[in-house]
Amino acid sequence: MITIEKIEQMQACIMAERQKGKTIGFVPTMGYLHEGHVALLERARKENDIVVLSIFVNPLQFGPNEDFDRYPRDFERDYKMAERAGVDIIFYPSVPEMYPHEPSVTVKVHERVDVLCGKSRPGHFDGVATVVTKLFHIVMPHRAYFGLKDAQQVAVIDGLIRDFHFPIELVAVPTVREDDGLAKSSRNVYLSEQERQEAPALYAALQKGKALIEAGERDVETVRKAIVHHIEQHTTGVIDYVEVYSYPELKPLETLQGKIILALAVRFTNARLIDNIVMNVQ
Amino acid sequence: MITIEKIEQMQACIMAERQKGKTIGFVPTMGYLHEGHVALLERARKENDIVVLSIFVNPLQFGPNEDFDRYPRDFERDYKMAERAGVDIIFYPSVPEMYPHEPSVTVKVHERVDVLCGKSRPGHFDGVATVVTKLFHIVMPHRAYFGLKDAQQVAVIDGLIRDFHFPIELVAVPTVREDDGLAKSSRNVYLSEQERQEAPALYAALQKGKALIEAGERDVETVRKAIVHHIEQHTTGVIDYVEVYSYPELKPLETLQGKIILALAVRFTNARLIDNIVMNVQ
């Protein structure tokens, strides 16, 4: 496994591998890896000759009052996890390497962004789409792996790849969870002991919503309210949103039918957690 | 020479050529080819194994009151000129092929756009950068050829390629002119007979400015006014702008030094013409 910090070197290295006919699998991350990332890396390992992991905490996708400076970083730990997962190349650029000056061009995302996390994070997905565009040109992968835990991000990247015709296959990988159901996240470390005990209630609330639908409920608001109620009863967190939309279009629904997403975001003292279930309704 | 109308087919074709180790030269145009385009094609022919010409009148770069519908189109003529210039592939997509729906992502250009043509054409370069991003992913060239006649476009594409790390070399090709000095343009056909006779005065005005500088003039406003005066004296056109900036940064200058551009746009009855000279000042 090698670590590359420079864009030019990364491009030259990939060009050489592609020339040899090798396939490239790419897992873009902000580091502080957990089993969710490992699931992406393992999937990429299975499907490609070369696996590239990028670690870059992208300032462009953080709002002015968000946790860019506080975002957890631990390269040595990431390095060991990457090695165990069979990564070939870690791309680990600095902020000045990726943004030597104010960006003169950025990607603007017009759809699938004014809801869920995008609603309370204006410009967030523009920042994500911009850095992913840059990374795609630097790593030139055949396949890119994203976790379904951030289902809105998957929807946005799907639109980016399709509308900009990137010759890249998007692979969406299911959310990895703790034994108690809590979705793995780099931000879980910020939960207090009590909050950590409450946090599995988020997934339980989504499952409750799913069970209602499976039992025949088709009214959006009834399902939404049941999820809200469960969170309020079982956690001290403050609900940012609980929504039920079509997926991946993320449009409001008249009635529950087709591919849908149940999604939530809840703020605890020092961490905002998100989770979702995507399901098909007959 | 083959014509390809579908994105998927174009990508498959180029993938196959790249796999064989062929280099790809790309000339993106809006068609209605003239000797300016031919100069780009000939340069691309010399430097690459495969030459791809795209013909696509991009609605996204036209303002609501601009000439998208009136923009001249003549595919048969273009086809013959492309064949003579040694083109291998014409990429000729329809508007629904390139934009099957409202674009869910676009490129936003933040620098080098609020001056010259960009000033009176808000969003124009966003439209250019968006379609060029799409075309770069579809044609996957090693080198892309643009004419210096639209020097601002070259400056914007330079920023796009650099900031998004496209693995593509930008080749800027000098403006091709009629014998009387008028820069070749698809829009020249819209000039009345009298206007066509006046039009060489645009380049003459720029040359006058250049001569002043070469004779020792270093005051920006003096040079600018001399160019304006020449146009007003020798044409019935209405000046849109006459500007002197640094190049390719397109920043205002205190004094004439370094690489600079003298640029103008003039409106005639049915055509708006642009021209420029880029020069080094000691």
Side-chain angles (χ1 to χ4, degrees):
Chain A
M1 188 173 74
I2 59 167
T3 303
I4 295 179
E5 297 182 5
K6 297 294 174 194
I7 291 167
E8 230 174 277
Q9 197 189 338
M10 186 70 227
Q11 287 182 314
C13 177
I14 285 295
M15 288 280 200
E17 295 296 344
R18 289 191 74 123
Q19 215 62 49
K20 288 183 230 158
K22 306 279 187 185
T23 57
I24 317 295
F26 177 40
V27 180
T29 78
M30 301 213 296
Y32 213 75
L33 304 182
H34 51 66
E35 287 90 334
H37 299 108
V38 172
L40 302 181
L41 292 171
E42 284 171 351
R43 178 82 179 268
R45 181 69 285 165
K46 254 183 238 159
E47 300 177 347
N48 304 276
D49 298 322
I50 304 285
V51 175
V52 181
L53 161 71
S54 70
I55 298 179
F56 180 63
V57 185
N58 174 36
L60 217 60
Q61 72 192 67
F62 287 80
N65 299 315
E66 292 181 3
D67 58 352
F68 174 69
D69 289 330
R70 279 198 320 112
Y71 197 86
R73 294 161 171 87
D74 188 344
F75 183 72
E76 279 187 40
R77 190 170 151 281
D78 289 345
Y79 186 93
K80 283 174 201 150
M81 289 182 76
E83 203 160 37
R84 269 199 300 277
V87 167
D88 297 295
I89 304 168
I90 302 183
F91 180 54
Y92 183 51
S94 66
V95 171
E97 177 70 8
M98 288 294 279
Y99 301 109
H101 48 77
E102 281 288 295
S104 76
V105 289
T106 54
V107 177
K108 176 96 196 127
V109 185
H110 304 275
E111 278 178 21
R112 306 177 177 183
V113 291
D114 293 337
V115 294
L116 305 180
C117 291
K119 197 172 180 177
S120 58
R121 304 183 76 185
H124 168 69
F125 285 111
D126 292 347
V128 171
T130 299
V131 81
V132 167
T133 294
K134 287 161 71 85
L135 289 169
F136 278 176
H137 292 153
I138 295 167
V139 176
M140 297 178 243
H142 296 81
R143 297 182 192 86
Y145 297 80
F146 289 85
L148 267 171
K149 187 188 149 234
D150 194 338
Q152 186 171 18
Q153 179 169 271
V154 170
V156 167
I157 301 297
D158 169 67
L160 176 74
I161 288 179
R162 196 194 50 220
D163 275 21
F164 276 178
H165 319 289
F166 278 101
I168 295 173
E169 183 192 340
L170 170 62
V171 183
V173 178
T175 303
V176 178
R177 299 179 180 282
E178 306 287 353
D179 290 340
D180 59 13
L182 176 62
K184 302 261 185 185
S185 163
S186 303
R187 290 187 174 98
N188 290 348
V189 296
Y190 295 132
L191 297 171
S192 72
E193 206 170 318
Q194 193 207 319
E195 289 171 340
R196 177 62 190 81
Q197 297 208 333
E198 297 169 7
L202 304 188
Y203 185 51
L206 293 171
Q207 285 178 304
K208 201 161 185 175
K210 185 182 179 188
L212 269 177
I213 298 168
E214 286 172 343
E217 183 58 63
R218 288 293 177 272
D219 180 60
V220 175
E221 202 46 28
T222 305
V223 172
R224 217 187 64 79
K225 276 182 177 154
I227 298 170
V228 167
H229 184 72
H230 189 92
I231 297 167
E232 287 174 347
Q233 291 295 305
H234 294 86
T235 81
T236 55
V238 177
I239 292 174
D240 195 350
Y241 64 76
V242 170
E243 298 290 0
V244 180
Y245 288 126
S246 65
Y247 191 82
E249 301 79 11
L250 304 183
K251 300 274 185 201
L253 292 157
E254 290 287 307
T255 178
L256 292 168
Q257 205 165 12
K259 197 171 180 185
I260 67 163
I261 184 169
L262 317 179
L264 59 77
V266 174
R267 289 183 194 282
F268 290 92
T269 312
N270 289 307
R272 178 177 169 284
L273 302 188
I274 60 173
D275 202 353
N276 70 78
I277 288 177
V278 174
M279 64 185 289
N280 276 299
V281 185
Q282 297 302 323
Chain B
M1 187 171 77
I2 59 167
T3 303
I4 295 178
E5 296 182 6
K6 295 295 173 193
I7 291 168
E8 229 173 277
Q9 197 188 340
M10 186 69 229
Q11 287 181 314
C13 177
I14 286 295
M15 289 280 201
E17 296 296 342
R18 290 191 74 122
Q19 215 62 48
K20 290 183 229 159
K22 305 280 186 184
T23 57
I24 317 293
F26 178 40
V27 181
T29 77
M30 301 211 298
Y32 214 74
L33 304 182
H34 51 66
E35 287 90 332
H37 299 107
V38 173
L40 303 180
L41 293 170
E42 284 171 351
R43 178 82 179 268
R45 181 69 285 164
K46 255 184 236 157
E47 298 177 347
N48 304 276
D49 298 322
I50 304 285
V51 175
V52 181
L53 161 71
S54 70
I55 297 178
F56 180 63
V57 184
N58 174 36
L60 218 60
Q61 72 193 65
F62 287 79
N65 298 316
E66 292 181 2
D67 58 353
F68 173 69
D69 289 328
R70 279 200 318 114
Y71 197 86
R73 294 160 171 89
D74 188 343
F75 182 72
E76 278 187 40
R77 191 171 150 278
D78 290 345
Y79 186 93
K80 284 175 199 149
M81 289 182 75
E83 202 159 38
R84 270 200 300 277
V87 168
D88 297 296
I89 303 167
I90 302 182
F91 179 53
Y92 183 52
S94 67
V95 171
E97 178 70 9
M98 288 295 278
Y99 301 109
H101 48 75
E102 281 289 294
S104 76
V105 289
T106 54
V107 178
K108 176 98 196 127
V109 185
H110 304 277
E111 278 176 24
R112 306 177 177 183
V113 291
D114 293 336
V115 294
L116 305 181
C117 290
K119 198 172 178 176
S120 57
R121 304 183 76 184
H124 168 68
F125 285 111
D126 293 347
V128 170
T130 299
V131 82
V132 167
T133 294
K134 287 161 71 84
L135 289 169
F136 279 177
H137 291 153
I138 296 166
V139 176
M140 298 178 242
H142 296 82
R143 298 184 191 85
Y145 297 79
F146 288 86
L148 268 171
K149 186 186 151 235
D150 194 338
Q152 185 171 18
Q153 179 169 273
V154 169
V156 167
I157 301 297
D158 170 67
L160 176 74
I161 288 179
R162 195 193 52 221
D163 275 22
F164 276 178
H165 319 289
F166 278 101
I168 295 173
E169 182 193 342
L170 170 62
V171 183
V173 178
T175 304
V176 178
R177 299 179 181 283
E178 304 286 353
D179 289 341
D180 58 14
L182 176 63
K184 302 262 185 185
S185 164
S186 303
R187 290 187 175 100
N188 290 348
V189 296
Y190 295 132
L191 297 171
S192 72
E193 206 170 317
Q194 194 206 318
E195 288 171 340
R196 177 61 191 81
Q197 296 207 336
E198 297 169 7
L202 305 187
Y203 185 51
L206 293 171
Q207 285 178 303
K208 201 161 187 175
K210 185 182 180 189
L212 269 176
I213 298 168
E214 285 172 344
E217 184 57 61
R218 287 294 176 271
D219 181 59
V220 175
E221 202 47 26
T222 305
V223 172
R224 217 187 63 78
K225 277 184 177 156
I227 298 171
V228 167
H229 185 72
H230 189 91
I231 297 167
E232 288 176 346
Q233 291 294 305
H234 294 85
T235 82
T236 54
V238 177
I239 291 174
D240 194 349
Y241 65 75
V242 170
E243 298 290 359
V244 180
Y245 288 126
S246 66
Y247 192 81
E249 300 80 11
L250 305 183
K251 301 274 187 203
L253 293 156
E254 290 287 307
T255 179
L256 293 167
Q257 207 165 9
K259 196 171 180 185
I260 67 163
I261 184 169
L262 317 180
L264 59 77
V266 174
R267 288 184 195 280
F268 290 92
T269 314
N270 289 308
R272 178 177 170 283
L273 303 187
I274 59 173
D275 203 352
N276 71 78
I277 288 177
V278 174
M279 64 184 290
N280 277 297
V281 185
Q282 299 299 324

